[in-house]
Amino acid sequence: MARLDVPLFEAMSDGMSLTADGETLTKRYLSESGYDATMARLRALDAEGTRTHLHCIRLTERRPSRAMRSPADDTSSNRDADPWVSEAIEIADTVRTIADESAGDGVDWIGIRGLNGSARRGLQFIGWDLYSGRCGIAPLFAALESRGLACREPSFALRLLQPLVDAVLENRSFDAGTTGFAIGALGTGGVVYGLTLTSTLLGNERLLTAASRAAASISVDEIARDLRFDVIFGAAGAALGLLALHRVRPESWILDRAVECGRHLLCHARNGISGGLAWRNDGARVVRGFAHGAAGVAYALARLYEATDTTAFRDAAIATLCHVPSVAAAEADRRRPAAGMQWSWCQGMAGLGLAQLEVSRFVGRPDVVGGLEHVLSELAAPSNRLSPSDQVCCGNVGSLELLSRASDVLGENQWRDAATARATETLARATDRGSYAVSAIDDKFSPGYYQGLSGIGYELLRLRWRDLPSVLLWE
């Protein structure tokens, strides 16, 4: 072993003896053979487990490569001359192809999810959440359908959401997506937003009614249980979902529930060591990003101020966002961006920059965007290489939103040109590689929005049509 001459032990698939170099070292070393263990596991599979494994087998038989496709493989009759629209249609076609419809109660996909409430993750059928579930897939198809660019099936977005809508309207339970408690993007808040956005894109009142019914389940007691506070799991995400619903269905109880989320956030705010406000995520960490930290909370508070004119929300948003840079520099943030994620939406400068732009706009404080021009210049620089990841949450496509939004808000076309250049480079790399770099080892197992194909497709559509609502900003 010291010479690194590591022995290779072997066992026959149907045997229990241990061998090396063709010699049997010990008989009945294993408690059972690999074959017997496999058969026992297969016999133990329930109907859902069997369906999961069968769909994984079917997916392995499908061609994963985008680069290998020829024009004859193009099954969509609604192509557009714009490269972003064409690519989004191709992505939607891929997402549609990898769907599973064998259960007969709608459309489903395989994705990576937590297993049985533990930190372990594995391949399972996805839930209804916005982050990686079907409420994040529907907006891509709804956006295409709203522009007359249906992918294979004109009403696919409605059909994939139909089981959720039926369950909500019939007061039946539904799997929001996460195995733990969540009221943000991974929970009911994300479901509310996904239904609201798809309803807006398609003009479907039944979806909006379902969104309103789902919103009612975000009770005061549920809000009080939240100890994450952030956009993905906590009250910040719940508030953003409720506010999006209130903008299209302005009923007082919806706004009241969003305000309760804001009060919950203010109640749990803590003074940072360099001044301003901060939240200890899940009772321990102070983090700065949009997904799990102060930037996302500041944005939610600013939108609450926009809706209510409550100065407490405005002041907290300013104090929070002004404190974000010092949080990163002065406190031991255990979730600092890893290599390649410094420009991400979730933890990096893309999310922080978006929060600066939007909070400044909503609270009327231009000084909140201090240093943003430098951030934009660095992101747009040709020397700034692409991140290893392409996904919206942690990768290159999420950073496009900051550049495009800066162009919209600041009126400077150079940032839109930079977004186009970065998107072009991302698309070229994906074509050369044969797939996008997303959270799974193969993009066919990441159909969702924040860490999968649907988000990439939708964000590319926003390069073409800026009037499409921004999902990263819960518009």
Side-chain angles (χ1 to χ4, degrees):
M1 295 292 288
R3 297 194 307 269
L4 299 181
D5 183 14
V6 181
L8 173 64
F9 298 109
E10 298 176 325
M12 299 294 292
S13 62
D14 59 350
M16 293 184 286
S17 299
L18 199 65
T19 66
D21 296 330
E23 296 184 9
T24 300
L25 301 179
T26 177
K27 294 182 178 181
R28 304 189 64 82
Y29 177 81
L30 303 173
S31 59
E32 64 179 335
S33 70
Y35 174 81
D36 288 339
T38 300
M39 294 305 297
R41 184 167 183 179
L42 288 174
R43 285 191 293 268
L45 286 175
D46 57 14
E48 182 70 4
T50 301
R51 187 164 75 98
T52 300
H53 283 275
L54 286 175
H55 190 55
C56 286
I57 292 170
R58 294 189 192 104
L59 287 177
T60 63
E61 297 174 351
R62 291 180 175 144
R63 285 181 298 173
S65 174
R66 303 168 64 262
M68 293 290 289
R69 286 188 179 182
S70 68
D73 294 323
D74 187 356
T75 57
S76 174
S77 60
N78 292 316
R79 294 295 170 186
D80 189 283
D82 186 279
W84 313 127
V85 177
S86 296
E87 179 63 14
I89 291 174
E90 182 164 337
I91 289 172
D93 189 57
T94 298
V95 173
R96 180 70 179 82
T97 298
I98 62 178
D100 175 62
E101 301 178 60
S102 62
D105 59 348
V107 188
D108 210 342
W109 286 266
I110 289 283
I112 296 179
R113 300 179 61 186
L115 298 176
N116 302 321
S118 71
R120 295 175 58 235
R121 290 160 62 83
L123 292 174
Q124 291 185 342
F125 281 97
I126 63 176
W128 289 108
D129 62 286
L130 177 70
Y131 189 84
S132 57
R134 283 167 277 184
C135 281
I137 295 174
L140 170 60
F141 291 92
L144 288 170
E145 291 167 20
S146 71
R147 307 288 168 154
L149 296 169
C151 180
R152 298 191 188 183
E153 184 178 338
S155 58
F156 184 68
L158 291 177
R159 186 161 75 85
L160 77 88
L161 290 177
Q162 193 61 51
L164 171 64
V165 173
D166 291 343
V168 171
L169 295 181
E170 295 168 12
N171 294 316
R172 291 186 279 112
S173 62
F174 59 90
D175 176 11
T178 184
T179 54
F181 176 77
I183 55 175
L186 268 170
T188 311
V191 170
V192 170
Y193 177 73
L195 289 171
T196 301
L197 173 59
T198 307
S199 168
T200 301
L201 291 170
L202 298 180
N204 186 285
E205 187 64 25
R206 193 164 187 263
L207 289 178
L208 196 59
T209 300
S212 182
R213 189 75 62 85
S217 69
I218 306 177
S219 64
V220 174
D221 289 341
E222 289 286 283
I223 296 168
R225 285 182 59 196
D226 167 46
L227 294 176
R228 303 293 289 266
F229 314 120
D230 61 6
V231 169
I232 301 301
F233 287 95
L240 290 171
L242 289 164
L243 289 171
L245 175 61
H246 182 259
R247 288 193 291 273
V248 294
R249 180 168 279 191
E251 298 175 5
S252 60
W253 72 267
I254 300 174
L255 184 58
D256 290 343
R257 205 65 56 85
V259 168
E260 187 64 32
C261 291
R263 289 173 180 158
H264 178 72
L265 292 172
L266 295 182
C267 180
H268 288 85
R270 298 292 180 264
N271 292 323
I273 63 173
S274 301
L277 299 178
W279 283 259
R280 294 202 173 274
N281 190 304
D282 208 13
R285 299 184 298 252
V286 173
V287 294
R288 66 175 185 164
F290 201 111
H292 298 289
V297 174
Y299 175 65
L301 291 170
R303 296 229 66 152
L304 281 165
Y305 170 67
E306 177 205 25
T308 66
D309 205 31
T310 300
T311 56
F313 293 142
R314 179 200 62 195
D315 295 344
I318 295 170
T320 301
L321 197 57
C322 289
H323 179 58
V324 164
S326 58
V327 168
E331 300 200 34
D333 182 355
R334 286 183 282 168
R335 288 184 63 110
R336 282 181 180 172
M341 293 184 63
Q342 59 267 36
W343 297 108
S344 67
W345 169 84
C346 58
Q347 299 182 37
M349 294 308 300
L352 296 178
L354 279 173
Q356 284 183 304
L357 276 172
E358 297 303 299
V359 171
S360 172
R361 189 163 65 92
F362 289 127
V363 305
R365 284 281 299 271
D367 57 306
V368 171
V369 298
L372 183 60
E373 287 283 340
H374 175 70
V375 170
L376 291 168
S377 297
E378 281 200 31
L379 175 58
S383 59
N384 188 358
R385 301 180 63 183
L386 291 178
S387 162
S389 172
D390 294 326
Q391 61 208 32
V392 170
C393 180
C394 318
N396 299 303
V397 175
S399 67
L400 302 180
E401 183 68 21
L402 172 59
L403 292 168
S404 298
R405 196 69 166 194
S407 180
D408 295 340
V409 175
L410 304 176
E412 299 175 8
N413 290 332
Q414 69 194 77
W415 308 128
R416 187 179 304 281
D417 294 340
T420 299
R422 200 163 179 82
T424 301
E425 190 177 356
T426 300
L427 176 56
R429 189 179 71 174
T431 300
D432 291 341
R433 184 167 46 201
S435 66
Y436 285 99
V438 292
S439 62
I441 56 175
D442 191 315
D443 61 12
K444 68 167 69 77
F445 296 113
S446 290
Y449 196 94
Y450 283 81
Q451 292 190 335
L453 291 175
S454 293
I456 294 174
Y458 187 90
E459 294 295 329
L460 291 179
L461 287 179
R462 277 182 46 75
L463 289 177
R464 173 64 175 84
W465 295 306
R466 293 301 296 168
D467 59 322
L468 284 176
S470 169
V471 174
L472 290 181
L473 290 171
W474 295 61
E475 290 184 328

